Every structure is written in C-alpha cells, then in structure tokens.
Amino acid sequence: MSSMSLFQIFFTLAIVQNFITSLFLGFCPFFGVTKNFKDAVAMGGALTFVMVGSAFFCWILTYYILLPFNVVYMNNVVYILVIATFVQILEMFIRRTNLRLYNAFGIYLPLITVHCAVLGITIINLREKFSFPQSMVAAVGGAFGVVILMAVMSAIRERLAVNEVPISFRGLPVAIMVACFLGLAFFGFGGMV
Amino acid sequence: MFMIAIPRQILGTGGIAIGGKMLFSLPVLSKDPLALFMLPPGALLTMALLHGLFRRMRIENHE
C-alpha cells in the first residue's frame, strides 16, 4: 500500500477498506452511539482527533525512538500509552466545554482508548511502512470513513426508530443488517483502486 | 464465531469443506453459491439473521 498515491491511500482506507465494514474494527461505539445523528457526528469528531493525533505522535515515536533503539517490539505498549493520553486530554476538554455532550458519550468516550480503529491505524502505518505524509493521510482517511459511516448509520437508525420493524429484528439486528448493506455499498468501490 | 462461520461457508460455497475435502454439498447452492456470504458484509448479515432468529426463539419460548 505504501506505493499508492496519497489520494489512493485516503480512498482505500475511507471507503474500500473501511475500518468498520471491511476491517471490522470499532464495532462497539459504532452501534452504541449511532442512535442519534448529533451524538454520532460528535463522536466521529472526537475519534478523528484521537486517530490523527495518535498517528502523528506514534509515527514520530516509531521512527525516532523505537526503530533507532531497536525496540519496535514495544510498539503496542507505546501506542496504547499515546492513545490513552490523548483520550484523557479530550475527555477533560469535553467535560469542561460541553457537559451535555460529555453525558451523551457516557462510557463510549473513555472507550476510545480501546477503540480498535485508533490502535488499528497506528499498526497499519507501521505494517505498511508509510512515510509521515502517508500515515497522516491514512489516519484522516480512516477517520473520515468511520465518521461518514456513523453519520449515515445514525440517520438511518433515526428513521428506523419511527418505522415498523418485525419484532425479532427490532433494535440491534436491524442495525447490523443496515451496516451490512452499507458495507456492500462501500465494497462496490473496490475496483476503483 | 463457529455459528457465524458455518452458515457463511454453507451459503457462500454451497457446502462444507475441511482441508480441501468436501464433506457435503447442497445441490443448488454448490452450482450457484450466494457469494455475498463470503464477502466481509456477509458476516454482518449472518450475525443479524442469527440475532433475529434467537430473539424469535426467545419470544416463542415466553409465549
């Protein structure tokens, strides 16, 4: 993937290999927070900040500390520490500035620490040996894919809440089915890159 | 995982194969398998259908 252009990396991680529908990373907040549009977009914004920030610092730590000192095997520990720090800063900021949003996030805001997509992007950047601009574009692309999917999903779920769904499929099953069809739609772009 | 994998393999390939050996195949599905179930979104569809099925069974048990 490192031989791809920046646009191809962005498009691949945002649409074709979407973190949620293709790589299956970050399911819990995806189904938990997409009950209303506003919270989904806010969660997407917080996730984007953490993903891009983590990718930025993790790239610097990897190429200026882990690789020169030959301790790349410590990558997961270092990445988790960086992500946890970011989430703490974000949590403090949201609690001070928007208490309603903080309450809406509930358990999902601290859960960004263990959000698979956040750790996933840092590991993908290392695995694919991305340069610094490539890793930033990959992080923005991955986050964009998650945000757009959460926004679409929340809009559909708001409509579903007022529609008649068979009793056995009410709630989570129909949400998973919607995610399936969204995934198929995203998968359809596969031939473009 | 097992419960998701079995229906996906049966519907996606038309049968069950272990180590390249076909244990059984379904007559219609082996010729025209439902390729959707082998794609990543197929896992979500299977999960949703299983979830719905279990809930249906739970509702019937309560009744």
Side-chain angles (χ1 to χ4, degrees):
Chain A
M1 211 191 277
S2 58
S3 59
M4 286 178 166
S5 70
L6 292 180
F7 178 73
Q8 282 175 319
I9 291 172
F10 179 88
F11 194 77
T12 303
L13 284 169
I15 309 289
V16 182
Q17 283 183 23
N18 187 285
F19 275 91
I20 291 167
T21 57
S22 183
L23 302 175
F24 299 118
L25 297 172
F27 257 48
C28 327
F30 177 66
F31 288 115
V33 186
T34 53
K35 282 171 190 156
N36 83 60
F37 184 76
K38 244 181 161 180
D39 292 344
V41 172
M43 179 74 176
L47 191 65
T48 306
F49 175 76
V50 176
M51 276 177 87
V52 175
S54 304
F56 177 86
F57 284 107
C58 288
W59 192 92
I60 291 170
L61 287 171
T62 304
Y63 287 91
Y64 288 95
I65 293 175
L66 298 182
L67 279 170
F69 289 98
N70 205 18
V71 284
V72 189
Y73 59 88
M74 291 286 287
N75 66 334
N76 286 353
V77 179
V78 172
Y79 294 168
I80 289 167
L81 273 173
V82 170
I83 294 164
T85 311
F86 250 94
V87 174
Q88 276 302 312
I89 293 168
L90 189 71
E91 193 178 348
M92 284 190 291
F93 178 77
I94 293 176
R95 191 165 38 186
R96 287 285 173 92
T97 54
N98 194 339
L99 197 62
R100 194 204 69 83
L101 188 64
Y102 177 78
N103 291 330
F105 280 157
I107 190 71
Y108 295 104
L109 188 59
L111 270 182
I112 295 181
T113 314
V114 286
H115 196 293
C116 307
V118 182
L119 187 61
I121 191 65
T122 56
I123 292 172
I124 286 171
N125 286 344
L126 177 66
R127 192 189 62 196
E128 300 291 336
K129 296 183 175 65
F130 279 153
S131 64
F132 184 72
Q134 283 177 326
S135 62
M136 286 297 99
V137 169
V140 174
F144 177 76
V146 174
V147 172
I148 203 164
L149 200 71
M150 283 174 90
V152 173
M153 183 72 173
S154 59
I156 293 173
R157 285 184 82 177
E158 279 184 359
R159 291 287 297 271
L160 278 173
V162 291
N163 282 334
E164 276 190 29
V165 178
I167 195 160
S168 346
F169 281 94
R170 260 175 223 165
L172 192 60
V174 77
I176 300 174
M177 209 171 266
V178 169
C180 161
F181 293 119
L182 285 174
L184 269 181
F186 277 42
F187 202 76
F189 291 96
M192 285 178 71
V193 282
Chain B
M1 298 273 281
F2 191 74
M3 289 182 75
I4 293 171
I6 293 286
R8 276 186 81 190
Q9 196 177 354
I10 292 172
L11 295 169
T13 62
I16 291 282
I18 297 174
K21 240 185 170 183
M22 204 69 169
L23 293 184
F24 78 91
S25 61
L26 298 170
V28 181
L29 276 175
S30 57
K31 282 179 188 164
D32 293 309
L34 302 168
L36 162 68
F37 283 91
M38 294 309 284
L39 297 174
L44 293 170
L45 186 60
T46 314
M47 214 188 296
L49 292 173
L50 283 173
H51 211 296
L53 181 73
F54 289 143
R55 191 177 283 180
R56 180 86 209 153
M57 284 161 68
R58 206 165 50 230
I59 292 166
E60 280 177 4
N61 280 345
H62 276 288
E63 285 169 358

